[in-house]
Amino acid sequence: MTDISKSMRAIEISTPGGPEVLKITERPTPIIRENEVLLAIKAAGVNRPDVLQRMGMYPPPPGATDIPGLEAAGVVAAIGKNVSDINVGDKICALLPGGGYADFATVDAGSCLPVPTGFTFEQAAALPETVFTVWANMIDDGDLKAGETLLVHGGTSGIGAMAIAMAKAFGAKVIATAGSDEKCQAALNLGADATYNYRDAPWDKEIADNGGADVVLDMTGGDFVARNISCLNHGGRHVSIAFLRGAEAKINILPIMQKRLRLSGSTMKARALSEKARLARDIEKQVWPHLESGKMAVTIDKIFPLEQASEAHKHMESGAHVGKIILKTR
Ligand SMILES: NC(=O)c1ccc[n+]([C@@H]2O[C@H](COP(=O)([O-])OP(=O)(O)OC[C@H]3O[C@@H](n4cnc5c(N)ncnc54)[C@H](OP(=O)(O)O)[C@@H]3O)[C@@H](O)[C@H]2O)c1
């Protein structure tokens, strides 16, 4: 049984700014509502949206805590009165609306999944944000199927590494881009079938000349959208999850019509709890078996203690990481 103290350690964003604004502080331990569980956190994932939140560019959804952290793994310390399928003492990982950089977090029971068999808490904490985002956008909305080809930019990012692992587990071919030859090699090591250094290769022409792509999972936006469109096959799907090269893109409508392309996009944070619960159940059925069998691996770059959250953010912003950065709480 986990001791639930009245207060807990948490990392707060003292003011919008650089990594140094992340400060360790004491906060009241959050109180569960009837559909929630209280998670005694062992490890939490660091994601790029946390960096944007720290800079004041991606506020938490209404009603959510201001403590950053969109995913965590740990042990259930208490359950709300309407929670029936999770018990105190269960090992779970969860997609959080925020609050992962702390000793405890409350989360809707529907956003929880069991820690996959054989996984450490650190490995499990690396899963929810990237698994939910990649599943929802690449498989659910993007409809990537076995035998098709995925193009993913940022192939060594947390999202990119998960996209490669999931697409390969589901029988697709993967083309990834990265910003250096070393990162291209790392993306190949993660399982990509082909890579391009986006800084110098005419990747769009080469992909189009070599069979094209059926789905693009795009975190780049800007000038890459037109290039993505140019190498999408007939019936292709373009799914936007971020715009690291700019929120505005100049595109020609004609190839969208000629190739019957579909363009969509989404943010995970803003989705309704019922939608996250639906995704969680699909993921548990479709993705968890691949993780537990070892067909899909999770890639952890570095683990920092909770109190070094600002170092973890510096590391993410250096761009040196391959895969996930984790904060260890206990
Ligand atoms: N929509 C959603 O629901 C959702 C959910 C989670 C994350 N996201 C977004 O997905 C992206 C990845 O998240 P993450 O946590 O995996 O971040 P991350 O590990 O920090 O990765 C960011 C990646 O972006 C690439 N990149 C940066 N600037 C680029 C540019 N100008 N051109 C091309 N590539 C560039 C980097 O590749 P190189 O280092 O190789 O250049 C890096 O691999 C973030 O933008 C995040 O906000 C969206």
Side-chain angles (χ1 to χ4, degrees):
M1 193 76 87
T2 310
D3 273 345
I4 308 171
S5 48
K6 284 213 165 72
S7 66
M8 63 170 191
R9 295 174 310 152
I11 300 292
E12 68 180 6
I13 301 168
S14 52
T15 183
E20 70 287 350
V21 305
L22 296 177
K23 305 274 192 219
I24 189 131
T25 186
E26 284 277 312
R27 286 280 186 98
T29 301
I31 294 166
I32 40 172
R33 286 182 280 226
E34 49 198 21
N35 296 322
E36 290 181 336
V37 309
L38 180 68
L39 181 62
I41 296 173
K42 300 271 191 189
V46 175
N47 292 280
R48 182 66 55 165
D50 308 346
V51 173
L52 299 178
Q53 181 181 345
R54 193 203 70 217
M55 292 169 161
M57 290 154 59
Y58 195 28
T65 173
D66 61 329
I67 299 169
L70 298 172
E71 59 186 354
V75 177
V76 175
I79 58 171
K81 70 175 170 43
N82 290 348
V83 176
S84 54
D85 47 356
I86 297 178
N87 296 304
V88 170
D90 284 358
K91 295 177 179 179
I92 61 161
C93 55
L95 182 74
L96 307 173
Y101 293 16
D103 284 328
F104 290 93
T106 51
V107 56
D108 188 77
S111 299
C112 299
L113 286 153
V115 168
T117 307
F119 272 52
T120 63
F121 285 113
E122 290 82 5
Q123 288 172 317
L127 295 171
E129 178 68 6
T130 57
V131 172
F132 275 72
T133 301
V134 172
W135 173 267
N137 290 285
M138 184 181 83
I139 306 275
D140 222 21
D141 291 349
D143 199 22
L144 181 71
K145 295 188 271 298
E148 290 192 323
T149 298
L150 170 78
L151 167 62
V152 60
H153 297 293
T156 58
S157 64
I159 292 280
M162 179 53 67
I164 293 171
M166 200 185 292
K168 292 302 296 178
F170 283 81
K173 180 181 161 190
V174 180
I175 303 169
T177 73
S180 69
D181 293 346
E182 294 72 32
K183 283 196 169 186
C184 284
Q185 185 55 52
L188 290 172
N189 297 343
L190 291 171
D193 298 284
T195 57
Y196 294 95
N197 181 339
Y198 66 79
R199 294 185 201 279
D200 47 43
W203 52 267
D204 41 349
K205 183 171 181 332
E206 290 183 26
I207 293 169
D209 289 347
N210 288 286
D214 301 294
V215 174
V216 181
L217 183 65
D218 186 58
M219 62 177 77
T220 59
D223 56 328
F224 277 15
V225 179
R227 297 177 72 183
N228 292 337
I229 286 172
S230 75
C231 58
L232 268 170
N233 292 332
H234 189 91
R237 287 83 71 198
H238 185 282
V239 191
S240 296
I241 57 164
F243 40 83
L244 289 157
R245 299 179 72 86
E248 293 188 8
K250 189 173 174 195
I251 54 173
N252 184 347
I253 307 293
L254 187 61
I256 297 176
M257 295 162 60
Q258 285 173 327
K259 295 196 276 185
R260 263 182 23 136
L261 303 182
R262 289 202 326 249
L263 276 67
S264 65
S266 74
T267 64
M268 185 52 63
K269 219 174 179 176
R271 291 194 189 212
L273 289 176
S274 56
E275 173 66 3
K276 290 176 184 170
R278 179 189 70 79
L279 290 168
R281 302 292 70 88
D282 288 351
I283 287 166
E284 188 172 354
K285 215 184 303 164
Q286 308 275 359
V287 181
W288 253 224
H290 290 314
L291 290 164
E292 293 183 336
S293 72
K295 197 169 178 189
M296 262 177 82
V298 56
T299 304
I300 294 185
D301 179 81
K302 200 165 174 183
I303 300 173
F304 293 85
L306 176 68
E307 53 275 19
Q308 288 179 19
S310 59
E311 295 305 313
H313 274 217
K314 268 184 216 158
H315 184 55
M316 174 161 270
E317 286 177 273
S318 77
H321 61 293
V322 172
K324 295 287 306 214
I325 300 168
I326 298 295
L327 297 176
K328 191 170 166 56
T329 310
R330 291 182 169 88

